[in-house]
Amino acid sequence: GGHTEFCAMTLLDFEFREFVKKIVKETEGRDLKRISTERVVSGPALKYTYQFFQEKFPFLDNNLPEEICGRTHGIIEYAINKKDPICEMSLQFFLRHYGWEIGDYMLKINPQGGLFLMGGVTLALRDYIGKPEAGFLEAVYNKGRVSGMIQSIPIYILKREIVLDGAESYAL
C-alpha cells in the first residue's frame, strides 16, 4: 500500500475507519486525520478488524481462545475452518480490501509479466486465497470495463520471504 490512503467505499468501511482512529488514539495517543491502507490490509490490521467486528456484533458467538485472540494466524485459522463467525467476517473484510488494493495496483502498473505477492499473511492464506469463497480474486478483478485487462495478468504467491533470503546471503 505504500502508506496510501484507505478508501472507504461502504458504510461498514467508514465505521471501520472511525474505529481504527479511536483505537490508535487509545493505544498510541495520536489523533489521526486519515488512515493508511496498512491499517486495513496487513497482518497487524487483521487484529483491528477482529476487534471491530467483535465490538459491532457482540451477540455473535466468540469461539476464538483468548490466548490467540490477538494473533493474526489464529484469526486466519479460525476463519478458514469456520470455527468463529467473527473471524470469518474479519477475514472476508480483509480479503475484500486486499483484493481491491491489488486490483488497483495492477491497474496502475500494468504488470504484464505477472504480479508477485508475498508476506506473512499472504503466505498463511496461499491455499485459501484463490478459492471462490475467499472473495479475493473477485475483488481483484472487479474493475468495471477494464476488468478483462487485469484478468489476463497472472498473480503469483511467493512461497518464501525472498527478501530475507537475499539479506541472509548478503550477511553471510
Side-chain angles (χ1 to χ4, degrees):
H3 300 281
T4 58
E5 184 100 21
F6 165 62
C7 179
M9 296 175 53
T10 68
L11 178 58
L12 190 66
D13 296 345
F14 282 102
E15 291 173 0
F16 179 73
R17 185 181 67 192
E18 295 309 307
F19 175 81
V20 171
K21 287 180 180 179
K22 179 184 85 166
I23 292 294
V24 169
K25 183 169 178 122
E26 291 170 1
T27 60
E28 300 175 22
R30 298 180 341 165
D31 275 324
L32 298 179
K33 303 289 184 237
R34 60 181 287 280
I35 67 167
S36 66
T37 301
E38 284 77 10
R39 298 234 188 230
V40 182
V41 182
S42 69
L46 197 51
K47 294 181 291 189
Y48 289 143
T49 309
Y50 182 82
Q51 292 170 332
F52 169 71
F53 283 113
Q54 194 176 33
E55 188 175 291
K56 184 165 179 62
F57 301 107
F59 52 86
L60 288 176
D61 288 336
N62 182 349
N63 302 318
L64 188 64
E66 188 65 36
E67 63 271 10
I68 62 171
C69 188
R71 289 188 22 231
T72 299
H73 293 299
I75 294 169
I76 290 170
E77 176 193 333
Y78 271 65
I80 290 173
N81 294 312
K82 301 188 182 309
K83 294 180 179 178
D84 184 286
I86 297 171
C87 289
E88 290 179 58
M89 287 190 300
S90 300
L91 187 58
Q92 289 300 315
F93 185 86
F94 175 89
L95 286 171
R96 186 179 78 227
H97 285 283
Y98 189 24
W100 285 342
E101 274 299 307
I102 295 301
D104 285 349
Y105 186 66
M106 290 171 77
L107 287 174
K108 291 174 187 174
I109 67 167
N110 194 17
Q112 290 302 301
L115 187 71
F116 295 82
L117 304 179
M118 58 185 257
V121 174
T122 304
L123 286 172
L125 292 167
R126 76 177 170 267
D127 295 330
Y128 179 73
I129 204 166
K131 294 181 178 179
E133 65 266 22
F136 172 77
L137 291 175
E138 179 183 341
V140 169
Y141 299 137
N142 186 12
K143 298 299 175 195
R145 68 182 185 276
V146 293
S147 293
M149 181 185 84
I150 61 171
Q151 285 176 347
S152 66
I153 300 170
I155 298 174
Y156 303 100
I157 296 176
L158 298 178
K159 294 181 180 176
R160 294 192 41 165
E161 290 281 355
I162 61 168
V163 173
L164 299 178
D165 291 346
E168 179 182 13
S169 68
Y170 182 75
L172 299 174

